[in-house]
Amino acid sequence: MPDRGFTPTQLAARAAYLLRGNDLGTMTSAAPRLYPHMWSWDAAFVAIGLAPLSVERAVVELDTLLSAQWRNGMIPHIVFANGVDGYFPGPARWGCRDLAANAPLGMQTSGITQPPVHAIAVQRILDHSRRHGRTTRAIAEEFLDRRWPDLVRWHRWLAHARDTSENGRITLFHGWESGMDNSPRWDTAYANVIAGAVPAYTREDLAHVTDAAQRPTNREYDRYLWLLEEMKTARYEDTELSATMSFAVEDVFVSAVFSMACEILAIIGEDHSKPHSDVRELHYWAERFRKGVISTTDQRSGAARDYDLRGGTWIATDTIAIFAPLISGGLDREAERALLRTFEGPKFCGHPDLRYAVPPSTSPVSKDFRPFEYWRGPIWPVMTWLFSWVFARRGWAERAHLLRSEGLRQASDGSFAEYYEPFTGNPLGSMQQSWTAAAVLDWLG
Ligand code: GLC
């Protein structure tokens, strides 16, 4: 339990208070200043944190997100809050409303996507609703009935538009789509992006996180924004993007999450008598993407790799993404054991200098490791949560428990930071990050 700071009861109360404070009405901002809008995978985690507090409010969160779904099925990575400035690139820079035929009518969104963790949130909402009376159960079930077609459409879009070669791996056209924006996984792919003239811009993030060493560099930002210009030229059309984008990678982590999410949705569909054809398709995708993930792995170590479609090269960096097969399942016994040993060993959670035994975003022994810099080393509590949840689901109760208790020990400082320095445990990036509070609430719920 906590080695400093708050007791579990105090911590849960503070986490609930934080989510309440970040609540804009029908959406929760990802963080008060740095991220004043709704982010797709953040919203799913936020719903997971809200579910034990209020099933109704958790449903509202997902409803808001899904009402911004694009006509092709994509869930956009940002849904902009009305009348809120202070984030760049905002709606004007994305230009989706003017350029994209698939963009939703009512809401302003970005033009890319994020990891498909939403099925977990739907499952948590249904689980929590069962502990309540008829009215709350009915709200959760009515939500599922109403949104089932949208959830399937979302998964179908990923399986079709983002896996055109049907090899069971999801293609991304921007590093932001991975949710791990500046992970060293994308360094070589970005190195091949030749940024043309990018319209002038001012970074807002550096006004909130004043230590620039904790954020991506300006060079990185130029490339991020250049990719937006490329997408705008393609008018965000799925078929155009695969032909024109100078950044295109197959993300093994997203593919594994997708496989797992398809399985979860299929089970929900079975339990709630959804159309057989949907359930069959979901099971099929779960299997196709599981195989896709396994096809990237090293036979002995079980470690997974991404693939750079433009460079035609495998990407093998020692980041948290090598553990993708633990999420999707499908490795043979020996390789799975080896991969778990790596997870728990000195390259990751068992590194002797770590303050808490939780997985850093990049291995401290990697040459790419930077302890302060965003996805290049720091610990992201929401990742700890994801692995603890996955491990519990896979029947590894003890491992799940250990991650949970270490994650809670880390969170007991009460800062609910976006990410933490692995050796000192100091909070970094944005404070009062919604998904960090959500992880804590689920753990303590
Ligand atoms: C950062 C993270 C991304 C997250 C967003 C909002 O961009 O890299 O994963 O969704 O912040 O929290």
Side-chain angles (χ1 to χ4, degrees):
M1 275 294 109
D3 64 346
R4 52 180 172 168
F6 298 100
T7 66
T9 317
Q10 291 170 329
L11 201 60
R14 287 176 69 90
Y17 185 75
L18 185 160
L19 286 187
R20 193 66 184 266
N22 291 353
D23 189 347
L24 304 175
T26 54
M27 63 164 73
T28 305
S29 64
R33 281 170 294 278
L34 188 58
Y35 307 111
H37 305 283
M38 172 182 256
W39 265 255
S40 167
W41 74 327
D42 297 60
F45 290 115
V46 164
I48 290 165
L50 287 172
L53 301 174
S54 160
V55 166
E56 289 80 354
R57 184 60 188 78
V59 162
V60 167
E61 197 71 14
L62 292 188
D63 256 331
T64 301
L65 180 68
L66 286 167
S67 49
Q69 186 172 24
W70 282 32
R71 264 170 275 182
N72 55 354
M74 178 176 84
I75 295 184
H77 106 295
I78 301 176
V79 183
F80 291 104
N82 267 335
V84 174
D85 291 330
Y87 179 80
F88 181 84
R93 185 65 165 228
W94 288 97
C96 295
R97 182 168 280 176
D98 296 332
L99 294 170
N102 285 316
L105 288 179
M107 292 163 114
Q108 296 272 26
T109 75
S110 70
I112 57 172
T113 197
Q114 259 192 336
V117 289
H118 312 80
I120 310 176
V122 176
Q123 193 200 53
R124 297 304 284 149
I125 285 173
L126 292 166
D127 286 350
H128 280 286
S129 77
R130 275 184 219 110
R131 305 217 297 252
H132 294 268
R134 270 228 312 269
T135 327
T136 303
R137 279 207 308 270
I139 286 173
E141 280 174 19
E142 188 271 337
F143 163 76
L144 180 68
D145 291 343
R146 188 159 40 81
R147 290 301 187 181
W148 176 261
D150 300 334
L151 292 165
V152 176
R153 251 169 10 96
W154 159 229
H155 280 223
R156 183 170 298 123
W157 175 76
L158 284 163
H160 289 183
R162 292 306 184 93
D163 182 23
T164 47
S165 54
E166 298 187 25
N167 64 5
R169 298 197 295 269
I170 302 263
T171 298
L172 306 182
F173 298 116
H174 199 298
W176 287 344
E177 294 198 304
S178 70
M180 302 188 190
D181 307 8
N182 74 334
S183 170
R185 296 161 72 194
W186 315 132
D187 284 356
T188 45
Y190 272 125
N192 293 328
V193 172
I194 317 282
V198 173
Y201 68 96
T202 313
R203 289 178 62 172
E204 298 270 0
D205 60 326
L206 297 179
H208 304 300
V209 178
T210 43
D211 178 4
Q214 296 174 26
R215 303 286 308 170
T217 62
N218 285 336
R219 240 174 95 85
E220 284 169 337
Y221 245 79
D222 273 349
R223 295 213 165 102
Y224 298 159
L225 290 166
W226 172 247
L227 294 181
L228 254 66
E229 297 308 313
E230 288 189 344
M231 289 182 181
K232 283 151 82 171
T233 314
R235 306 180 81 82
Y236 298 100
E237 281 294 333
D238 289 328
T239 46
E240 297 289 308
L241 292 177
S242 43
T244 58
M245 293 303 294
S246 57
F247 179 102
V249 297
E250 289 175 350
D251 181 320
V252 77
F253 192 85
V254 168
S255 304
V257 165
F258 183 58
S259 167
M260 178 258 298
C262 285
E263 193 167 291
I264 292 173
L265 212 52
I267 294 168
I268 293 174
E270 281 162 4
D271 290 350
H272 294 264
S273 316
K274 295 297 170 225
H276 289 309
S277 54
D278 289 347
V279 170
R280 221 176 309 122
E281 240 182 335
L282 287 162
H283 277 306
Y284 164 71
W285 294 328
E287 185 56 21
R288 181 169 111 200
F289 283 84
R290 186 176 302 120
K291 286 194 181 129
V293 170
I294 299 308
S295 69
T296 75
T297 57
D298 177 271
Q299 237 181 354
R300 287 230 327 267
S301 70
R305 296 172 299 175
D306 304 294
Y307 188 74
D308 177 0
L309 285 164
R310 294 296 176 249
T313 48
W314 289 101
I315 306 167
T317 47
D318 270 336
T319 71
I320 201 166
I322 67 170
F323 302 112
L326 301 179
I327 298 174
S328 61
L331 282 176
D332 66 44
R333 259 178 97 82
E334 281 301 299
E336 189 160 89
R337 282 228 195 100
L339 194 55
L340 281 165
R341 274 199 302 275
T342 307
F343 188 88
E344 284 157 1
K347 270 180 147 184
F348 282 89
C349 302
H351 188 283
D353 299 333
L354 287 194
R355 176 90 192 242
Y356 304 104
V358 291
S361 48
T362 299
S363 167
V365 304
S366 159
K367 67 174 180 9
D368 299 314
F369 177 75
R370 307 273 179 281
F372 299 103
E373 214 188 306
Y374 218 39
W375 290 96
R376 293 182 182 273
I379 283 159
W380 290 67
V382 74
M383 288 295 108
T384 307
W385 183 89
L386 184 65
F387 278 99
S388 76
W389 183 84
V390 162
F391 287 0
R393 180 168 182 270
R394 300 219 45 208
W396 304 328
E398 213 167 299
R399 292 192 173 98
H401 183 80
L402 190 67
L403 285 181
R404 172 182 173 276
S405 65
E406 285 293 282
L408 280 172
R409 234 156 51 81
Q410 173 161 66
S412 68
D413 72 338
S415 64
F416 300 101
E418 187 182 10
Y419 44 99
Y420 292 80
E421 209 272 356
F423 306 132
T424 59
N426 286 341
L428 300 173
S430 160
M431 302 300 126
Q432 296 174 306
Q433 184 85 8
S434 292
W435 67 7
T436 306
V440 166
L441 281 167
D442 184 79
W443 274 331
L444 293 175

